[in-house]
């Protein structure tokens, strides 16, 4: 290794809002390999700020799932719910620069902001109803639920994805002013929480992460995150967005495709090597699924061989690794 080269720092960032499934496992294995094959570090961060959706015990279970796969990490686990002060500092900085404004529009938008926007990929364009406000106007809103929105420039930044190539953002008349924080005054929510977009940037920068590997359903979040990096004077990492695992109907892996939770595979006695073999096959590194260890995968790892389309997880493939979904 070139001694002057900057070491790669990658991360695994599970959300304990539910169980980890085969699709998550593929992302974690690829993120781990993308760093370890460069002698890099891997960090683990528990993204537990989505408090209404966080499930009790899902964090411990996620750690168990990662260990079962054979993945390891350096340093202690960073837990987002312990980092609210750091996110607040970033929010203050954005407010001082008048880059954010308080928005009292729909409650749904505000509530959804804490989680990474995996679902539909279609974001609703916010009509900038509250964009006339200044940051200091928030002091008059203490009895209201509101959110802080980032004041986007006319066009979101383009970036180069190390897997997908150049991502040229659509030139919108108004780029979408996204939510960075939600403030709740009612007792059912009792707290205010940073949005995924802000927390992920503050933490990746704090942990000196310089390589982010995640599912390509988050591609549209990246220009927003780059805007935050730029305006908080932070350096963005390299981004690698990889195709998702989908069910036989081509839709994002979900309950209707049968139980693909890692815990369910374990309970039926599936060995991690069998799942790793299926992951290697899904990446085009082997021509059929056969049991392998993470060590075996190190020399096979090759981003360029991964098909640039979703991987269809069929029932037959699951049966092939000894799992009856
Ligand atoms: N915790 C996020 C998720 O599971 C990770 C998003 C990211 O990798 O930036 O969706
Ligand atoms: Zn508004």
């Amino acid at each position: 290794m070139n001694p002057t080269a900057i070491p790669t720092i990658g991360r695994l960032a599970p959300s304990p809002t539910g169980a980890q499934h085969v699709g998550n496992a593929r992302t974690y294995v690829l993120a781990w390999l993308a760093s370890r094959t460069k002698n890099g570090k891997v960090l683990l961060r528990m993204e537990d700020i989505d408090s209404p959706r966080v499930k009790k015990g899902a964090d411990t279970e996620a750690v168990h799932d990662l260990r079962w796969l054979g993945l390891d990490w350096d340093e202690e686990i960073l837990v987002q719910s312990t980092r609210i002060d750091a996110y607040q500092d970033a929010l203050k900085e954005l407010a001082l620069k008048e880059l954010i404004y308080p928005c009292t529009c729909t409650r749904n938008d505000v509530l959804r902001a804490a989680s990474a926007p995996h679902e539909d990929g279609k974001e609703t364009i916010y009509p900038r109803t509250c964009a006339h406000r200044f940051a200091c106007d928030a002091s008059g809103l203490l009895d209201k639920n509101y959110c802080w929105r980032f004041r986007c420039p006319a066009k979101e930044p383009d970036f180069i994805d190390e897997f997908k190539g150049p991502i040229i953002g659509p030139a919108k008349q108004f780029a979408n002013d996204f939510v960075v924080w939600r403030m709740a005054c009612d007792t059912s929510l009792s707290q205010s929480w940073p949005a995924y977009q802000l927390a992920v940037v503050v933490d990746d920068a704090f942990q000196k992460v310089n390589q982010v590997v995640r599912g390509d359903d988050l591609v549209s979040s990246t220009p927003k995150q780059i805007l935050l990096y730029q305006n908080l004077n932070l350096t963005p990492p390299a981004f690698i967005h990889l195709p998702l695992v989908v069910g036989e109907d081509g839709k994002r892996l979900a309950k209707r495709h049968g139980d693909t939770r890692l815990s369910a595979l374990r309970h039926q006695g599936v060995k991690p090597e069998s799942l790793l073999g299926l992951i290697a096959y899904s990446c085009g590194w082997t021509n059929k699924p056969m049991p392998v260890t993470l060590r075996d995968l190190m020399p096979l790892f090759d981003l360029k061989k991964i098909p640039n389309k979703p991987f269809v997880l069929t029932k037959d493939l699951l049966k092939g690794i000894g799992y009856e979904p």
Side-chain angles (χ1 to χ4, degrees):
M1 195 179 63
N2 174 356
T4 56
I6 298 167
T8 299
I9 305 182
R11 42 72 155 184
L12 313 172
S15 289
T17 50
Q20 308 297 317
H21 56 61
V22 174
N24 302 121
R26 185 179 190 251
T27 306
Y28 299 139
V29 167
L30 291 172
W32 187 93
L33 286 169
S35 192
R36 291 297 194 217
T37 53
K38 292 192 251 180
N39 279 320
K41 277 191 177 186
V42 175
L43 305 177
L44 176 56
R45 183 166 73 229
M46 198 52 70
E47 304 216 314
D48 65 340
I49 49 163
D50 191 1
S51 71
R53 291 177 57 220
V54 165
K55 303 249 169 12
K56 215 168 173 259
D59 49 354
T60 327
E61 186 78 5
V63 171
H64 190 82
D65 289 335
L66 295 170
R67 291 227 168 93
W68 176 74
L69 284 163
L71 302 175
D72 63 355
W73 48 90
D74 309 289
E75 302 178 14
E76 266 177 49
I77 304 175
L78 190 79
V79 179
Q80 284 196 322
S81 55
T82 65
R83 303 245 318 131
I84 302 297
D85 289 352
Y87 311 136
Q88 237 147 15
D89 288 347
L91 189 78
K92 270 184 218 146
E93 188 174 336
L94 296 174
L96 280 173
K97 294 178 176 167
E98 279 305 335
L99 286 165
I100 51 172
Y101 59 88
C103 159
T104 43
C105 294
T106 73
R107 195 177 147 87
N108 265 354
D109 274 1
V110 182
L111 285 178
R112 279 210 326 246
S115 27
H118 290 294
E119 265 8 296
D120 43 19
K122 285 181 233 81
E123 66 183 86
T124 41
I125 300 293
Y126 172 66
R128 294 195 142 176
T129 321
C130 305
H132 60 278
R133 288 207 183 106
F134 293 100
C136 63
D137 293 332
S139 56
L141 299 171
L142 295 181
D143 58 340
K144 289 199 166 54
N145 290 322
Y146 66 93
C147 65
W148 285 101
R149 281 187 190 271
F150 184 84
R151 205 182 286 284
C152 279
K155 193 180 172 301
E156 290 186 347
D158 301 330
F159 69 100
I160 296 182
D161 186 285
E162 291 194 1
F163 176 74
K164 293 179 145 345
I167 307 285
I168 314 294
K172 297 169 188 150
Q173 200 187 354
F174 292 116
N176 212 1
D177 288 359
F178 57 94
V179 176
V180 291
W181 203 287
R182 60 168 211 245
M183 307 291 290
C185 68
D186 63 353
T187 46
S188 62
L189 292 163
S190 72
Q191 292 224 41
S192 76
W193 292 100
Y196 157 73
Q197 306 290 8
L198 181 67
V200 79
V201 165
V202 170
D203 283 344
D204 278 333
F206 172 72
Q207 295 189 284
K208 301 194 167 49
V209 168
N210 54 19
Q211 175 175 279
V212 166
V213 177
R214 59 187 173 198
D216 65 6
D217 55 338
L218 288 171
V219 159
S220 64
S221 288
T222 302
K224 299 176 175 61
Q225 292 171 16
I226 291 173
L227 282 171
L228 292 176
Y229 281 104
Q230 290 170 345
N231 287 290
L232 292 167
N233 289 321
L234 303 168
T235 311
F239 291 100
I240 300 175
H241 292 91
L242 296 170
L244 296 181
V245 176
V246 295
E248 279 170 89
D249 57 358
K251 302 245 167 67
R252 204 183 140 71
L253 218 53
K255 285 219 176 79
R256 66 177 173 280
H257 301 116
D259 196 347
T260 61
R261 289 176 305 166
L262 300 183
S263 55
L265 268 66
R266 257 198 315 276
H267 290 146
Q268 281 191 27
V270 175
K271 295 271 168 294
E273 291 78 14
S274 306
L275 179 57
L276 291 174
L278 183 54
I279 291 171
Y281 168 72
S282 79
C283 293
W285 303 335
T286 54
N287 47 27
K288 62 175 195 297
M290 49 195 172
V292 284
T293 63
L294 275 176
R295 288 265 137 238
D296 300 331
L297 288 184
M298 302 272 285
L300 296 182
F301 176 80
D302 185 355
L303 276 183
K304 289 192 287 297
K305 284 194 180 154
I306 302 179
N308 192 8
K309 56 174 198 265
F311 175 67
V312 183
L313 183 66
T314 62
K315 291 215 162 54
D316 284 345
L317 283 169
L318 287 169
K319 282 184 190 148
I321 59 165
Y323 183 67
E324 203 61 52

